[in-house]
Amino acid sequence: MRLNAFLARAGITSRRKADELIKAGRVTVNGKNGQLNSNVDQNDQVALDGKAVGAQKLRYILINKPTGTVTTLKDPHGRKKIIDLVNISERVVPVGRLDWDTTGALLLTNDGELANQLMHPSFKVNKTYTATVQGELTEDKLNKLRRGVMLDDGPSAPAQVRALTSSKIEIIIHEGRNHLVKRMLGTVDLKVTALHRSIYEELDLTELRPGQWRDLTKKEILQLRMVK
Ligand code: URA
């Protein structure tokens, strides 16, 4: 792997900042100055300012995101960050975004390759949401949502949609566009008052209260790697 990716995975810093450390001559590989295009593996001795840097264990975490938390790593408004709820030494980051007021299943990992795969539009990760809405829920509206509705950044893909009660609908999508569910429902005059992601691919929130998290099992990680 690239030297900057190795440093990022070791929890030192981001890839971009790692490049600055490399350019500044602070990183060595097997005793020689590291280069931006250096490739390293577990057998190489990488050091920063003379101190050995070890590869980080890969972690895959499912958290039940509470409302009022941001999924970004920095927040200019000083709001609570989801990563602050996961107190571990590895540098995990959220896979995709949920809005500040959205609750539910969120994956965090330091496996950049899997994260990129899951966020790539060509991989169809199923995300199941329950939306509490204001407005009349009609079969005609549900059908429109099922077929796909026109949004300012293009049409939404066909979705599975069903009414759970007169004010709650379940919607299963695989796209990852910003505020997608709220915008889709907005086109049929449904205002979302609460949004919860109950399932991310096969991962549900059994035994996780808001704010709680757990590591994925080996089987769950393999299943995520198989998503196409
Ligand atoms: N769609 C939204 O509108 N918000 C989310 O947080 C996720 C999907």
Side-chain angles (χ1 to χ4, degrees), residues 98-99 102 129 179-182 195:
L98 288 178
D99 294 337
T102 299
Y129 292 90
H179 315 302
L180 185 59
V181 173
K182 292 176 187 165
L195 187 61

Side-chain angles (χ1 to χ4, degrees), residues 87-149:
N87 241 332
I88 57 173
S89 55
E90 293 86 1
R91 214 170 159 266
V92 292
V93 294
V95 178
R97 293 187 190 171
L98 288 178
D99 294 337
W100 173 81
D101 53 356
T102 299
T103 56
L106 178 70
L107 184 67
L108 297 113
T109 185
N110 53 353
D111 181 343
E113 203 176 308
L114 181 67
N116 287 338
Q117 179 179 327
L118 294 172
M119 286 189 289
H120 196 277
S122 66
F123 287 85
K124 303 230 171 338
V125 180
N126 282 320
K127 297 156 198 155
T128 305
Y129 292 90
T130 303
T132 309
V133 294
Q134 270 171 4
E136 203 193 343
L137 265 186
T138 62
E139 198 53 32
D140 180 48
K141 291 182 181 181
L142 298 184
N143 280 332
K144 281 188 179 147
L145 293 166
R146 287 180 185 124
R147 285 193 296 265
V149 290

